[in-house]
Amino acid sequence: ILSSPKEILFKANQILARTLHRKNFVSALYGKIDLTNAEFKFARAGHCPAILVRDEEIFSYQPKGLALGLDFTDSFSENLEEVKINLKKDDTLIFYTDGVTEAKNKSNEDFGESRFLETIKINSHKDVNQLAKEIISEISVFTNDSTQYDDITLLILRWNKN
C-alpha cells in the first residue's frame, strides 16, 4: 500500500510513462491531512507552491520536485521532497494553478505572485468562501476583458481544530 505523498507521485509518474506523449508533462501537488495529529504532509511535482496563512503571516512552501512525465528514471523520486506542516487552529492552506498568477491583462502583464499574496494578506481574516471570492474578483478586475488562456483553480482550506 502506498502511504506517503512522495510514493503516490512516484507511482503516478510510472503510470504516465506508459501513456503520456513525450512532449507533455503534468504538474501536481499531492497531500494528506492527518486529522488525528493535525498534520498536513505533501509533495509537489513541478506545481505551484502551497501557501499557509498563519496569524496573518504568509508562508510559501515549494519543496523540490520535477513535473510528472519529465523524467522516468530513479532521479525523479530522488528529487521529490516531502514536507510536513503541523497545523494550528485557524491555519489556512491555499492551493492554486498557475492560471491564477499568470492571468494576463490587455498589456500582457501577469497578475503575478505579489498581487496574489497581497490579496490573500488583505483578506486572510475572512471566511474561506469570501477569501476565494476576493481573489477571483481581483483577478477579474486585473484581467478586465482579456481572454482567459489558462484554467484558474483555487482551493482554500481552514483548519478549525485546536
Side-chain angles (χ1 to χ4, degrees), residues 12 23 34 109 114 118 123 143:
K23 294 180 182 179
D34 181 333
E109 298 169 313
S114 61
E118 185 63 24
N123 296 287
T143 57

Side-chain angles (χ1 to χ4, degrees), residues 23-91:
K23 294 180 182 179
N24 294 336
F25 66 91
V26 178
S27 73
L29 184 148
Y30 180 80
K32 293 172 64 172
I33 296 176
D34 181 333
L35 298 174
T36 306
N37 297 311
E39 295 174 346
F40 174 62
K41 190 183 290 186
F42 75 99
R44 54 177 282 287
H47 200 69
C48 299
I51 307 281
L52 169 68
V53 182
R54 175 179 288 162
D55 301 326
E56 297 183 25
E57 273 192 85
I58 297 176
F59 304 91
S60 181
Y61 292 87
Q62 192 167 353
K64 65 180 184 164
L66 293 171
L68 301 167
L70 290 181
D71 184 349
F72 298 115
T73 69
D74 287 342
S75 68
F76 176 84
S77 181
E78 292 163 8
N79 284 298
L80 271 179
E81 184 182 0
E82 202 168 81
V83 170
K84 181 176 76 172
I85 299 172
N86 294 311
L87 297 169
K88 297 182 179 179
K89 184 160 175 43
D90 295 326
D91 277 356

Side-chain angles (χ1 to χ4, degrees), residues 8 14 32 55 59 71 77 85 97 100 136-137 142 144 152 158-160:
I8 296 287
Q14 288 180 319
K32 293 172 64 172
D55 301 326
F59 304 91
D71 184 349
S77 181
I85 299 172
T97 58
V100 170
I136 297 301
S137 174
F142 178 80
N144 202 356
I152 292 177
R158 181 154 297 140
W159 185 254
N160 287 321

